Amino acid sequence: MFKRFRRIRMHPKSRAMVRETHLSMDDFIYPLFIKSGEGFKKEISSMPGVFQMSIDEVLKECEELDGLGIQAIILFGIPETKDSIGSDALCEHGIMAKSVRAIKEKFPHFFVITDLCFCEYTDHGHCGILNKDSVDNDATLEILAKQALIHAKSGVDMIAPSGMMDGVITVLRDALDSEGFVNLPIMSYSTKFASSYYGPFRDVAESAPSFGDRRSYQMDPANRQEAIAESIEDELEGADILMVKPALAYLDIVREVKDKTSLPLCVYNVSGEYAMLKAAAKAGVIDYERVLLETMISFKRAGADIIISYHAKEVAKLLQNDKGSK
Ligand code: PBG
Ligand code: ZN
């Protein structure tokens, strides 16, 4: 006696009926990179299909996203001027505050998320205020709280701190609550590794550190137990959604965090993961669309509820054509 697993695989309908994991556009968040100016739209060479855009161009992009059923976006700002403390991020007229207001005015039904960090705004490219050669955790918490309130007042729907400062969720929750933003959720980049998969992002966000690296605040890719502890700490501090980043090389961590938390879990399918698939497609070595959907399904199967991905528009088109379910 043995079990015939193949019986249920014979008919496409029965395969569909027993499918355990599904993709929906409700799962996706699309990243946008916003620069000052007008009529500006520049493609990033390592990330075909990903652009830096001025606000007017972003509004056109949102129109397209809306048509594709993508109404959740995460914004990254590239300011005109950078300085040692990232002043543009602390100003109501900074690139992020302006962008959020413009998008929410034209697309009030969108769910607008902002990445909360300083690496795009500082002239040294690190994620906070420096003290000698290291990022000063507690001084950075103070300006993160200010940045969060700027975003909150400009009408953002959720903030996503990405700088891996200790205690950030406690500090942000306190700051938001004391100003009346008790209903503004926080999605924490709770387990974020010091990864070389972020390479292309630093071109598009113009946020590469001018010296050193981020290993004194982002996590060692070798550490599994610490990865769980980082996320659980943010749950205890009051985060509403947790995140593991990058995604593909860390699916073991995604599963473990998911099993240990009751919070929704997001994965960030990062720039290097996107660039690799694009490069493989260009080289003609893979069936791009199938590999893409297989990759997205792997995130959900590992336990992710939400996927931040530069592929979101492509996925929307594939799901519309029903290629995803065959
Ligand atoms: C900023 C930030 C980074 C990413 C998201 N937010 C880069 C970094 O930490 O250097 C990476 C996203 C990607 O690679 O797509 N702190
Ligand atoms: Zn940063």
Side-chain angles (χ1 to χ4, degrees):
M1 220 334 232
F2 57 87
K3 176 163 168 53
R4 293 198 183 273
F5 286 99
R6 293 183 52 201
R7 239 178 243 139
I8 208 74
R9 295 176 195 152
M10 293 295 163
H11 196 289
K13 269 294 162 204
S14 65
R15 285 201 296 273
M17 253 188 284
V18 300
R19 185 160 298 130
E20 298 175 35
T21 313
H22 300 271
L23 291 173
S24 145
M25 286 325 288
D26 287 337
D27 307 331
F28 285 87
I29 299 172
Y30 189 64
L32 291 169
F33 298 92
I34 315 183
K35 216 172 157 136
S36 57
E38 246 191 89
F40 180 83
K41 185 166 177 177
K42 183 176 151 219
E43 192 166 24
I44 301 307
S45 60
S46 53
M47 297 178 73
V50 175
F51 298 81
Q52 294 180 331
M53 282 177 258
S54 52
I55 294 178
D56 55 327
E57 292 292 330
V58 164
L59 294 175
K60 289 186 212 161
E61 179 77 14
C62 288
E63 201 77 61
E64 190 191 335
L65 293 174
D66 210 8
L68 288 168
I70 302 170
Q71 285 100 6
I73 52 179
I74 183 163
L75 308 183
F76 297 91
I78 308 150
E80 223 161 324
T81 51
K82 307 191 185 216
D83 59 22
S84 65
I85 61 158
S87 302
D88 188 88
L90 302 171
C91 165
E92 274 172 47
H93 306 290
I95 184 73
M96 277 296 231
K98 274 200 285 196
S99 305
V100 173
R101 283 195 295 269
I103 294 169
K104 284 301 288 186
E105 188 182 281
K106 198 145 179 243
F107 300 91
H109 61 294
F110 267 40
F111 190 71
V112 178
I113 307 159
T114 48
D115 183 90
L116 209 71
C117 201
F118 281 93
C119 47
E120 294 117 60
Y121 305 92
T122 52
D123 49 15
H124 46 73
H126 278 285
C127 297
I129 293 182
L130 291 184
N131 182 359
K132 301 201 183 85
D133 278 354
S134 174
V135 174
D136 184 327
N137 192 84
D138 299 14
T140 301
L141 291 180
E142 282 179 36
I143 57 171
L144 278 166
K146 286 188 191 156
Q147 189 184 24
L149 289 173
I150 299 266
H151 293 189
K153 286 172 187 162
S154 62
V156 79
D157 295 299
M158 180 157 78
I159 56 170
S162 66
M164 288 296 279
M165 293 302 122
D166 292 325
V168 65
I169 305 302
T170 299
V171 166
L172 293 180
R173 194 68 267 163
D174 279 357
L176 292 172
D177 290 354
S178 66
E179 294 283 326
F181 296 103
V182 292
N183 287 322
L184 188 69
I186 303 174
M187 175 166 73
S188 178
Y189 284 68
S190 50
T191 295
K192 179 173 175 181
F193 292 94
S195 171
S196 297
Y197 282 97
Y198 308 151
F201 173 93
R202 292 176 188 172
D203 297 335
V204 63
E206 301 180 7
S207 64
S210 62
F211 66 89
D213 52 46
R214 304 206 201 289
R215 282 184 284 189
S216 75
Y217 40 105
Q218 298 179 351
M219 273 199 58
D220 184 340
N223 291 0
R224 178 184 138 248
Q225 310 226 70
E226 188 187 354
I228 314 300
E230 274 278 10
S231 273
I232 296 309
E233 168 64 17
D234 284 5
E235 171 166 17
L236 296 173
E237 289 186 27
D240 299 283
I241 299 177
L242 302 178
M243 193 194 300
V244 172
K245 176 183 172 204
L248 204 42
Y250 297 86
L251 293 185
D252 55 329
I253 306 294
V254 174
R255 170 48 59 195
E256 281 207 64
V257 171
K258 183 63 186 173
D259 286 347
K260 293 199 167 72
T261 182
S262 55
L263 293 182
L265 182 61
C266 180
V267 289
Y268 200 135
N269 172 218
V270 301
S271 56
E273 299 171 42
Y274 177 85
M276 287 197 306
L277 271 201
K278 285 289 183 195
K282 199 170 169 199
V285 294
I286 55 167
D287 178 338
Y288 176 77
E289 292 180 351
R290 288 191 172 276
V291 171
L292 169 54
L293 290 173
E294 189 175 329
T295 305
M296 297 299 135
I297 275 287
S298 77
F299 301 149
K300 299 259 339 245
R301 196 192 58 236
D305 303 289
I306 305 165
I307 303 168
I308 302 176
S309 180
Y310 306 101
H311 293 292
K313 285 163 65 178
E314 299 170 297
V315 173
K317 289 172 195 165
L318 290 170
L319 292 186
Q320 280 174 1
N321 299 339
D322 209 25
K323 282 211 180 123
S325 61
K326 291 297 165 338

